[in-house]
Amino acid sequence: MSTSVRAQEWAERHQIVLYLAAIAVGLLIGGLIPAAHVLEAAINPAIGVLLYATFLGVPFTRLADAFRDARFLITLLVVNFVIVPVIVFALSRFVAADAALLIGVLLVLLTPCIDYVIVFAGIAGGSHEKLIAAAPLLMIVQLLLLPLYLTVLAGPGVLEGIQIAPFVEAFVFLILLPLLLAAITQWASSRARWAAGVERAAVGVMVSLMMITLFVVVASQAGIVLANLAGIGGVIPIYAAFLIVMAFVGAGVSRVVRLGVRDARAVTFSGATRNSLVVLPLALALPAELALVPAVVVTQTLVELIGMTIYVRVIPRLIPLSRA
């Protein structure tokens, strides 16, 4: 067995510890070095490369099959756009008196994740290929429904200053472009040696790519969170409670509709993870009186990333293979 293969196997066995270490180092550097915020420019490229490598690991013929699974897609939509808003409404009442906290919580918790949820669900044995297929649909639906939900839960004034461009850019550069490049690479892999080599290499560096992404996200945003911790500390229990509630909601709904184990895990991860990196530019576009909203959104990112490292261990126990 080659050294590279042994290193890959070691990394896969210890990936949770490695991810926590990447988060810890990111918090340390982001908290101690004010200039670390410049790493924000690397967030989307890091996620794009991570998703490109993830897409490479799923044959595109399986993506077509996944998109035809109506039961899975309907369950995914119901969890994210029917059940989640009810839960978010209940949790957001704890900060309803503070406009910045309320809008930040609503903005981030009402939008399902379309990027690293695919990776974490895959680690936990979920149907990540179906989440890949569903990502464009999730993005489009949240784009259409977010203004409605914000108007109902926070009032029509919140829509002033929010721009749609960040959603469109994220859809193109985080989903469509990596997906297209992965499809081209897979097509070329049977015809060109370089493409086959890229596919093999992508599998070997997945853990490293996830560590880099976690570090970049956390290090770039730690400063703003720590600087505003006194004002935003009240949202941390809300985000933690959301993760706990959604673990049982995802598992329970999946059992009711009789999804298979892998599909149930994927739905559970999708219901729990939020689109914080995509809505952050929306938060930055809000008026000056809501300047605290970006920090509220970023705090969810940090809570969720730590939560995901727990989820990948807990969800397989909550939804065990013996259920199949």
Side-chain angles (χ1 to χ4, degrees), residues 48-58 178 182 199 202-203 205-206 209:
V49 172
L50 176 67
L51 290 179
Y52 167 68
T54 301
F55 295 160
L56 276 179
V58 180
E199 278 195 300
V203 175
V205 299
M206 279 299 298
L209 289 175

Side-chain angles (χ1 to χ4, degrees), residues 112-168:
C113 183
I114 49 117
D115 38 61
Y116 56 65
V117 61
I118 297 167
V119 179
F120 282 115
I123 293 171
S127 299
H128 64 298
E129 69 278 5
K130 292 188 178 182
L131 290 179
I132 294 173
L137 181 61
L138 287 176
M139 192 69 182
I140 292 169
V141 175
Q142 67 185 270
L143 180 63
L144 295 174
L145 291 182
L146 182 61
L148 172 64
Y149 287 143
L150 288 176
T151 300
V152 172
L153 300 182
V158 71
L159 298 180
E160 297 178 6
I162 293 184
Q163 303 174 10
I164 198 172
F167 269 97
V168 177

Side-chain angles (χ1 to χ4, degrees), residues 154-234:
V158 71
L159 298 180
E160 297 178 6
I162 293 184
Q163 303 174 10
I164 198 172
F167 269 97
V168 177
E169 291 174 3
F171 180 66
V172 172
F173 292 106
L174 297 184
I175 296 296
L176 290 186
L177 185 58
L179 197 60
L180 177 61
L181 291 176
I184 293 172
T185 305
Q186 284 193 11
W187 174 82
S189 63
S190 61
R191 299 166 176 82
R193 185 176 300 177
W194 68 265
V198 169
E199 278 195 300
R200 290 193 299 271
V203 175
V205 299
M206 279 299 298
V207 174
S208 298
L209 289 175
M210 176 60 86
M211 290 179 65
I212 292 170
T213 302
L214 292 176
F215 168 77
V216 167
V217 170
V218 174
S220 66
Q221 305 302 321
I224 186 175
V225 172
L226 294 175
N228 295 280
L229 195 57
I232 61 178

Side-chain angles (χ1 to χ4, degrees), residues 4-323:
S4 61
V5 172
R6 286 197 296 269
Q8 177 185 338
E9 291 181 348
W10 181 88
E12 289 175 351
R13 285 197 304 271
H14 299 88
Q15 57 188 305
I16 303 305
V17 174
L18 293 173
Y19 297 157
L20 288 172
I23 292 171
V25 173
L27 280 171
L28 181 64
I29 292 178
L32 295 178
I33 304 176
H37 70 87
V38 300
L39 288 171
E40 184 174 310
I43 290 178
N44 281 353
I47 293 176
V49 172
L50 176 67
L51 290 179
Y52 167 68
T54 301
F55 295 160
L56 276 179
V58 180
F60 278 77
T61 53
R62 288 171 59 189
L63 291 186
D65 293 338
F67 201 74
R68 287 193 290 266
D69 189 340
R71 180 183 297 185
F72 174 83
L73 290 176
I74 292 172
T75 304
L76 199 67
L77 292 174
V78 168
V79 167
N80 278 298
F81 299 112
V82 178
I83 298 176
V84 164
V86 174
I87 294 170
V88 171
F89 172 77
L91 291 175
S92 66
R93 296 310 92 189
F94 291 100
V95 292
D98 188 309
L101 298 186
L102 174 62
I103 292 170
V105 167
L106 294 177
L107 196 61
V108 70
L109 291 188
L110 289 171
T111 51
C113 183
I114 49 117
D115 38 61
Y116 56 65
V117 61
I118 297 167
V119 179
F120 282 115
I123 293 171
S127 299
H128 64 298
E129 69 278 5
K130 292 188 178 182
L131 290 179
I132 294 173
L137 181 61
L138 287 176
M139 192 69 182
I140 292 169
V141 175
Q142 67 185 270
L143 180 63
L144 295 174
L145 291 182
L146 182 61
L148 172 64
Y149 287 143
L150 288 176
T151 300
V152 172
L153 300 182
V158 71
L159 298 180
E160 297 178 6
I162 293 184
Q163 303 174 10
I164 198 172
F167 269 97
V168 177
E169 291 174 3
F171 180 66
V172 172
F173 292 106
L174 297 184
I175 296 296
L176 290 186
L177 185 58
L179 197 60
L180 177 61
L181 291 176
I184 293 172
T185 305
Q186 284 193 11
W187 174 82
S189 63
S190 61
R191 299 166 176 82
R193 185 176 300 177
W194 68 265
V198 169
E199 278 195 300
R200 290 193 299 271
V203 175
V205 299
M206 279 299 298
V207 174
S208 298
L209 289 175
M210 176 60 86
M211 290 179 65
I212 292 170
T213 302
L214 292 176
F215 168 77
V216 167
V217 170
V218 174
S220 66
Q221 305 302 321
I224 186 175
V225 172
L226 294 175
N228 295 280
L229 195 57
I232 61 178
V235 302
I236 295 177
I238 292 176
Y239 295 148
F242 181 80
L243 287 171
I244 294 170
V245 170
M246 290 311 302
F248 293 99
V249 168
V253 172
S254 298
R255 181 179 291 274
V256 169
V257 300
R258 298 182 180 179
L259 289 182
V261 170
R262 295 186 70 242
D263 289 358
R265 292 177 182 177
V267 166
T268 303
F269 270 86
S270 179
T273 53
R274 304 288 90 190
N275 224 4
S276 54
L277 302 181
V278 174
V279 300
L280 181 58
L282 300 182
L284 293 169
L286 289 170
E289 60 268 23
L290 298 173
L292 200 59
V293 173
V296 177
V297 171
V298 170
T299 300
Q300 192 276 337
T301 306
L302 299 179
V303 173
E304 180 175 278
L305 288 174
I306 294 172
M308 286 301 101
T309 64
I310 299 172
Y311 253 53
V312 296
R313 291 293 182 88
V314 171
I315 298 305
R317 290 177 170 81
L318 187 63
I319 309 173
L321 288 174
S322 58
R323 202 186 89 174

